[in-house]
């Protein structure tokens, strides 16, 4: 049922966000959401995906919950909305308990229109219960490709969203992404359990972008080519490099060549990262060297050049990052510096992501034989000595794999404690009256752990009791520890058995699914390398990959459809 018209949506778009009209693709997604339909929108980078749920949220009663994968971007997005007079907020681990409580009160009072969350936030059952009470009208899933194992940024926590949606009503769902092939689109709809969704693909062809690849002999040749490209093309420019050390080195190399460049990556302190971003956004510096941590949610429309210092592992990643050029619609250049060794780096990462089954089963069996509790105590070197054809590096890779597959896990920082119940029920009844404040937390513990509490278990204080914050629960448990009712300590940040009540058996993993994922990653790498090596139209190659154009087509906006760009940048 339509809750508002497109004319009303255009009025909100103009009055609140300052835009005269929706873009092609954008208008179709907004119309579908206004009609009350579950919707999957695939819009190119710079296509205005956020407006597809922000505008409808302001035209309907109730709360819109936005699930976003990056905590670092939530504050920026919320600050921009609040600056436009929109009642928006976020909940994440950066907030103190009193801030979280105050925001939850505003949500309960109906004073918030848009709430931003990371998917991991729903691990707190208390939050889900509060949202059920508040009522959620629209659930928006940003960067929805993260839910698909076949996408390029798979994030297991996204798989819980369908269960969350079911528990919330379910509300209407809109899922948005810039990078999804036809198979990934189908998987998104399946995993989110979208109901007869409208699938709207807004078009991948950015006709203002010019694509070129420069073949380079080695790293020094790449650096030389990079400097020449920067000198001969308009800026501002973003230079993507694969690692933090590469980013630092590239920034110094470019600066020595007379082009001031700043480095941006996740290893910088928050203040330094913010200052670097602001300097680039404000035009104080026109070149930034960055990992892929830079770009998502960064709204700089006049980037004239994006250079990749090394080949990404997927065309999805390349398209998304290169697409940060020319968001204002004016001509812009996308240049890839390519060397054959780039592939070897990605193959190494794929091998690290999918270790041999024999090594996984050996390590898991060793952990099962030697476990004396839920904590993993053996280091990779010890595991390597106990397993055949497994060195310390491979043992470390296997541990990471077991963690990704959910057999091992790490306690949440500042949220989980190791707790063992020492007092018997008789002693609790005898020494604590029924009205003691500690009784509530003990009952919550008993419901959670029952007889296993005597052996000890991990307890998430954030979800222990609906009426208690993590800090309040810890205070009550500290008092119980002082009276020797419980033994409690901070959870060691290392690896723990995810389900300590069950045997650790890697043979129960879905190895066929894992093999398919590995083959999918190698196929994506093949396609990325195919783009770099093709002598046909590069634009058509990309569009064909996303299912949009005949691969035999040609254009006037890539190096293979005109005189090839040389390594001198001329």
């Amino acid at each position: 049922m339509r809750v508002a018209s497109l004319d009303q949506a255009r009025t909100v778009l103009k009055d609140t966000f300052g835009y005269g009209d929706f873009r092609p693709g954008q208008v179709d997604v907004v119309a579908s959401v206004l009609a009350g339909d579950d919707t999957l929108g695939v819009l190119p980078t710079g296509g205005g995906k956020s407006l597809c749920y922000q505008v409808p949220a302001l035209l309907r009663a109730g709360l819109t919950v936005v699930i976003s994968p990056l905590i670092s971007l939530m504050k920026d997005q919320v600050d921009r909305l609040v600056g436009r007079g929109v009642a928006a907020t976020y909940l994440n681990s950066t907030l103190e308990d009193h801030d979280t409580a105050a925001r939850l009160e505003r949500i309960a009072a109906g004073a918030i229109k848009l709430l931003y969350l990371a998917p991991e936030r729903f691990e707190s059952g208390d939050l889900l219960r509060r949202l059920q009470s508040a009522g959620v009208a629209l659930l928006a899933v940003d960067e929805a490709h993260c839910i698909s194992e076949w996408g390029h940024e798979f994030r297991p926590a996204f798989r819980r969203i369908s269960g969350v949606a079911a528990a919330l009503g379910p509300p209407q769902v809109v899922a948005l992404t810039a990078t999804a092939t036809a198979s990934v689109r189908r998987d998104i709809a399946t995993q989110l359990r979208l109901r007869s969704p409208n699938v709207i693909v807004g078009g991948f062809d950015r006709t203002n972008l010019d694509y070129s690849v420069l073949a380079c002999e080695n790293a020094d040749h790449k650096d030389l080519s990079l400097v020449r490209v920067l000198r001969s093309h308009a800026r501002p420019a973003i230079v993507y490099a694969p690692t933090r050390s590469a980013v630092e080195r590239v920034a110094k190399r470019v600066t020595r060549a007379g082009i001031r460049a700043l480095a941006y990556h996740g290893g910088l302190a928050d203040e330094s990262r913010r200052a670097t971003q602001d300097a680039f956004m404000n035009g104080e510096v026109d070149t930034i060297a960055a990992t892929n941590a830079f770009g998502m949610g960064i709204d700089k429309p006049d980037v004239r050049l994006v250079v990749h210092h090394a080949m990404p592992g997927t065309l999805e990643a390349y398209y998304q990052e290169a697409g940060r050029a020319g968001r204002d619609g004016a001509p812009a250049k996308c240049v890839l510096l390519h060397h054959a060794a780039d592939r070897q780096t990605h193959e190494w990462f794929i091998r690290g992501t999918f270790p041999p089954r024999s090594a996984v089963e050996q390590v898991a069996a060793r952990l099962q034989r030697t476990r004396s509790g839920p904590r993993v105590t053996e280091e990779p070197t010890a595991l390597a000595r106990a397993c055949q054809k497994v060195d310390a590096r491979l043992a470390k890779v296997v541990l990471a794999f077991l963690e990704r597959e959910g057999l091992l896990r790490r306690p949440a920082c500042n949220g989980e404690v190791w707790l063992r119940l020492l007092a018997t029920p008789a002693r609790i009844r005898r020494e604590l009256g029924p009205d003691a404040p500690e009784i509530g937390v003990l009952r919550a513990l008993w419901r959670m752990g029952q007889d296993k509490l005597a052996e000890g278990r991990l307890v998430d204080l954030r979800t222990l009791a609906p009426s208690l914050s993590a800090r309040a629960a810890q205070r009550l448990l500290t008092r119980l520890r002082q009276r020797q009712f419980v033994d409690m300590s901070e959870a060691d940040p290392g690896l723990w058995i995810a389900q300590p009540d069950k045997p650790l058996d890697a043979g129960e993993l879905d190895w066929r699914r894992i093999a398919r994922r590995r083959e999918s990653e190698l196929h994506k790498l093949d396609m990325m390398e195919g783009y770099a090596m093709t002598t046909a139209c590069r634009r058509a190659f990309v569009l064909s990959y996303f299912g949009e154009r005949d691969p035999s087509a040609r254009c006037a906006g890539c190096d293979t459809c005109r005189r090839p760009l040389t390594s001198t940048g001329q």
Side-chain angles (χ1 to χ4, degrees):
M1 179 176 178
R2 189 176 295 278
V3 295
S5 68
L6 272 174
D7 285 341
Q8 291 172 300
R10 289 187 176 98
T11 299
V12 170
L13 181 71
K14 182 177 181 180
D15 292 348
T16 303
F17 298 97
Y19 297 109
D21 203 352
F22 293 106
R23 299 173 182 176
Q26 202 180 44
V27 67
D28 298 323
V29 176
V30 171
S32 177
V33 176
L34 292 179
D37 296 326
D38 280 359
T39 306
L40 171 56
V42 184
L43 301 180
T45 300
K49 295 186 295 298
S50 298
L51 291 171
C52 293
Y53 58 79
Q54 290 171 347
V55 171
L58 300 182
L59 285 167
R60 69 198 314 163
L63 176 68
T64 291
V65 172
V66 183
I67 298 179
S68 175
L70 291 179
I71 289 177
S72 60
L73 297 181
M74 289 181 190
K75 185 177 185 302
D76 290 344
Q77 295 187 26
V78 168
D79 285 349
R80 285 198 293 269
L81 287 169
V82 171
R84 294 185 173 105
V86 176
T89 192
Y90 62 87
L91 295 174
N92 62 39
S93 57
T94 67
L95 299 175
E96 296 290 338
D97 282 353
H98 63 87
D99 290 326
T100 298
R103 295 178 190 213
L104 287 170
E105 288 178 7
R106 294 182 65 201
I107 292 165
I112 295 296
K113 294 297 293 181
L114 285 136
L115 170 64
Y116 284 76
L117 302 167
E120 289 82 0
R121 193 72 184 179
F122 285 110
E123 293 173 3
S124 168
D126 183 36
L127 175 62
L128 186 56
R129 287 187 290 271
R130 287 174 180 267
L131 291 179
Q132 287 171 329
S133 298
V136 176
L138 178 64
L139 184 65
V141 183
D142 205 2
E143 307 297 339
H145 57 272
C146 293
I147 201 172
S148 175
E149 285 188 311
W150 319 116
H152 68 291
E153 293 179 317
F154 174 56
R155 188 156 161 175
F158 269 69
R159 288 295 179 95
R160 305 188 191 105
I161 295 174
S162 61
V164 168
L168 291 175
Q172 181 188 0
V173 178
V174 54
L176 296 156
T177 178
T179 51
T181 61
S183 61
V184 171
R185 294 197 289 270
R186 289 191 296 270
D187 198 31
I188 291 171
T190 299
Q191 296 300 331
L192 284 176
R193 300 178 192 168
L194 300 183
R195 296 154 293 187
S196 302
N198 292 325
V199 180
I200 297 160
V201 181
F204 288 90
D205 195 1
R206 299 276 303 282
T207 56
N208 63 313
L209 300 186
D210 183 284
Y211 297 96
S212 297
V213 175
L214 296 178
C216 299
E217 298 173 359
N218 50 43
D220 289 338
H221 191 192
K222 280 188 176 184
D223 290 347
L224 180 62
S225 298
L226 171 61
V227 170
R228 288 172 174 168
V229 168
L230 289 171
R231 283 175 174 165
S232 60
H233 290 83
R235 300 194 290 272
I238 302 173
V239 180
Y240 282 108
T243 64
R244 296 174 182 180
S245 59
V247 164
E248 295 282 357
R249 188 186 61 76
V250 165
K252 290 176 183 177
R253 175 67 179 85
V254 169
T255 300
R256 284 200 305 271
I259 302 169
R260 185 180 174 225
L262 297 179
Y264 183 102
H265 56 72
L268 298 174
D270 289 345
E271 186 175 332
S272 297
R273 195 163 57 247
R274 173 73 66 175
T276 297
Q277 178 178 318
D278 289 346
F280 184 68
M281 298 294 289
N282 298 334
E284 297 170 25
V285 62
D286 65 8
T287 304
I288 189 167
T291 60
N292 59 9
F294 182 82
M296 292 184 71
I298 304 299
D299 186 16
K300 186 171 178 62
D302 63 340
V303 174
R304 301 271 65 87
L305 174 66
V306 171
V307 182
H308 279 79
H309 196 268
M311 183 182 76
T314 69
L315 263 176
E316 288 95 335
Y318 181 73
Y319 175 83
Q320 188 175 54
E321 292 160 12
R324 290 174 186 134
R327 293 176 66 164
D328 55 4
K333 302 281 187 180
C334 307
V335 180
L336 170 63
L337 306 180
H338 179 250
H339 177 49
D342 293 348
R343 179 186 177 92
Q344 297 170 11
T345 301
H346 291 293
E347 287 178 338
W348 185 86
F349 279 117
I350 291 172
R351 286 195 298 271
T353 303
F354 303 101
R357 178 173 179 173
S358 60
V360 174
E361 292 183 336
Q362 282 190 74
V363 169
R366 172 67 182 179
L367 294 177
Q368 174 63 22
R369 286 196 304 272
T370 58
R371 61 189 284 188
S372 57
R375 176 74 170 85
V376 174
T377 56
E378 284 196 284
E379 296 296 325
T381 50
L383 289 170
R385 286 195 297 269
C387 301
Q388 295 181 352
K389 297 182 180 179
V390 176
D391 59 20
R393 186 201 66 80
L394 181 54
K396 187 175 181 180
V397 165
V398 169
L399 291 174
F401 173 82
L402 291 172
E403 184 180 359
R404 284 194 303 275
E405 291 296 320
L407 273 68
L408 304 179
R409 74 180 188 92
R410 296 178 188 274
C413 296
N414 302 319
E416 291 186 89
V417 296
W418 173 250
L419 188 140
R420 187 161 61 95
L421 184 63
L422 303 177
T424 63
R427 183 190 167 202
I428 292 172
R429 286 192 297 270
R430 185 174 64 251
E431 298 186 26
L432 289 176
D435 299 324
E438 295 88 350
I439 286 293
V441 74
L442 284 171
R443 284 175 178 158
L445 283 171
W446 187 255
R447 286 194 299 270
M448 178 182 291
Q450 299 182 13
D451 57 335
K452 298 297 180 183
L453 283 172
E455 301 173 11
R457 63 171 294 163
L458 281 173
V459 173
D460 190 339
L461 299 180
R462 299 167 302 174
T463 62
L464 184 58
S467 59
L468 292 176
S469 69
R471 195 165 292 179
Q474 188 155 23
R475 283 197 298 269
L476 290 172
L477 288 169
T478 298
R479 280 155 53 179
L480 288 168
R481 181 179 62 184
Q482 291 168 348
R483 297 180 63 180
Q484 296 185 342
F485 279 81
V486 300
D487 180 22
M488 181 180 68
S489 60
E490 293 293 327
D492 189 298
L495 286 170
W496 295 65
I497 307 294
Q499 299 184 59
D501 302 336
K502 293 178 58 179
L504 185 64
D505 183 4
E508 294 183 359
L509 294 174
D510 186 346
W511 286 101
R512 289 185 179 181
R513 174 187 59 83
I514 292 166
R516 289 196 302 270
R517 282 183 57 199
R518 182 180 183 278
E519 291 306 310
S520 174
E521 292 300 310
L522 289 171
H523 173 69
K524 288 177 181 293
L525 181 57
D526 288 341
M527 297 305 292
M528 183 67 242
E529 189 174 46
Y531 168 86
M533 302 292 289
T534 187
T535 57
C537 174
R538 296 196 199 280
R539 184 184 306 279
F541 192 101
V542 172
L543 296 179
S544 174
Y545 179 77
F546 288 111
E548 233 184 66
R549 182 185 285 188
D550 182 342
S552 65
R554 296 185 69 79
C555 73
C558 76
D559 57 343
T560 58
C561 289
R562 60 176 191 280
R563 182 174 62 86
L565 186 68
T566 68
S567 61
T568 63
Q570 297 176 342

